[in-house]
Amino acid sequence: MSSTKEMSTVENTTPFNGVAPSSIVRVTIVQSSTVYNDTPATLDKAEKYIVEAASKGAELVLFPEAFIGGYPRGFRFGLAVGVHNEEGRDEFRKYHASAIHVPGPEVARLADVARKNHVYLVMGAIEKDGYTLYCTALFFSPQGQFLGKHRKLMPTTLERCIWGQGDGSTIPVYDTPIGKLGAAICWENRMPLYRTALYAKGIEIYCAPTADGSKEWQSSMLHIAIEGGCFVLSACQFCQRKDFPDHPDYLFTDWDDNKEHDAIVSQGGSVIISPLGQVLAGPNFESEGLITADLDLGDIARAKLYFDSVGHYSRPDVLHLTVNEHPRKPVTFVTKVEKAEDDSNK
């Protein structure tokens, strides 16, 4: 399923006769499922969709949360209070094996795919740093450059047992020719202070890779687009039970107990919304596929006329946010440097 307006490309935004022309950017969300426990096959699947999106004129391609490595919906990892489970430990071993190093060979491949298809790429991935996993969004340029990453600041509920927490050193907003690009992952979007930090960095294309396919999620995305005066792109996986490994202990959803292979366990709902609160494409609750829209960047200024949450509609004399962007390391090594003896004193 896709929705588009007439195609154009980014134009010069230098004012002509005192009037700045609008710029149109075509963006595409990939709504699809991970190939679980098979990262090479997942990368192949991602490349296929990127090629398809680029062939239709996309300049930015966004994937869902944890697309590389997988969102472990329904996995229990043998966890319960005071319980240790050998089967759960082995399940985590497999999950860790599917995660990727950043940077690493998978990151290099994604950068090359972005270059070959001349697109900006935002990819949800499970990153491994030693034996700790992080839910991460990776950013790539059309020149094949890995721009950097955002690690999810606060995993939700049981996610905290399998993912570490990001810190303020990875909350980037990249100033690109197609707009200022950043991300908030899943329920980070419910954190008003984190949203405010992104607004303060000038975010214009707000990427929201998620695992929340609920109807209520749509309300959050609409609110953020209006609050932030930015375009919101929310990407969620569409998964059926057959997409997951067989396991009798999985609890896939709390709204449908259908255990058939074709049962939908993540219903998607990917959507693209303008700063004026207009739904430009989606939501798609029906199938895998591409969700595409053309963004008129002029809508950002149109929206900010009335409301700029970190500009003319702020009160820093009353309310002020401080963001700590220093990396938080559990161990710091300070090495003593011995001063070399001056040979002239011998």
Side-chain angles (χ1 to χ4, degrees), residues 36 42 58 120 129 135 145 150 161 180 256 313 317 319 321:
Y36 283 86
T42 301
Y120 284 93
D129 187 350
C135 183
Q145 180 185 5
H150 164 58
C161 295
K180 294 179 180 178
D256 187 353
Y313 217 97
D317 55 323
L319 303 169
L321 172 65

Side-chain angles (χ1 to χ4, degrees), residues 2 6 35-37 50 53 70-71 74 98 110-111 118 143 159 167-168 203 274 303 312 322 329:
S2 64
E6 185 177 351
V35 183
Y36 283 86
N37 294 332
I50 293 166
Y71 184 82
S98 296
L110 289 168
H118 198 66
Q143 291 74 39
E159 294 172 0
D167 60 34
I203 193 167
S274 83
H312 62 77
T322 300
K329 298 292 186 182

Side-chain angles (χ1 to χ4, degrees), residues 8-36:
S8 183
T9 57
V10 178
E11 300 173 355
N12 185 358
T13 56
T14 302
F16 177 72
N17 291 335
V19 179
S22 293
S23 298
I24 307 299
V25 176
R26 176 161 287 188
V27 299
T28 293
I29 292 170
V30 176
Q31 178 166 291
S32 182
S33 174
T34 302
V35 183
Y36 283 86

Side-chain angles (χ1 to χ4, degrees), residues 237-257:
Q237 293 196 34
F238 182 90
C239 304
Q240 296 173 283
R241 192 178 181 93
K242 64 185 179 183
D243 294 320
F244 292 82
D246 289 332
H247 195 294
D249 195 38
Y250 290 160
L251 178 65
F252 284 113
T253 72
D254 54 8
W255 47 268
D256 187 353
D257 196 35

Side-chain angles (χ1 to χ4, degrees), residues 109-126:
R109 177 177 174 183
L110 289 168
D112 193 51
V113 172
R115 179 189 61 81
K116 288 178 179 177
N117 292 279
H118 198 66
V119 295
Y120 284 93
L121 173 62
V122 181
M123 174 64 71
I126 300 303

Side-chain angles (χ1 to χ4, degrees), residues 76-85 88 158 161 249:
R76 304 193 192 199
F77 295 99
L79 294 171
V81 176
V83 173
H84 304 91
N85 182 288
L158 198 62
C161 295
D249 195 38

Side-chain angles (χ1 to χ4, degrees), residues 206-225:
Y206 183 115
C207 296
T210 186
D212 190 339
S214 69
K215 300 292 176 64
E216 293 78 12
W217 179 256
Q218 302 297 314
S219 299
S220 292
M221 297 299 96
L222 179 62
H223 169 77
I224 291 169

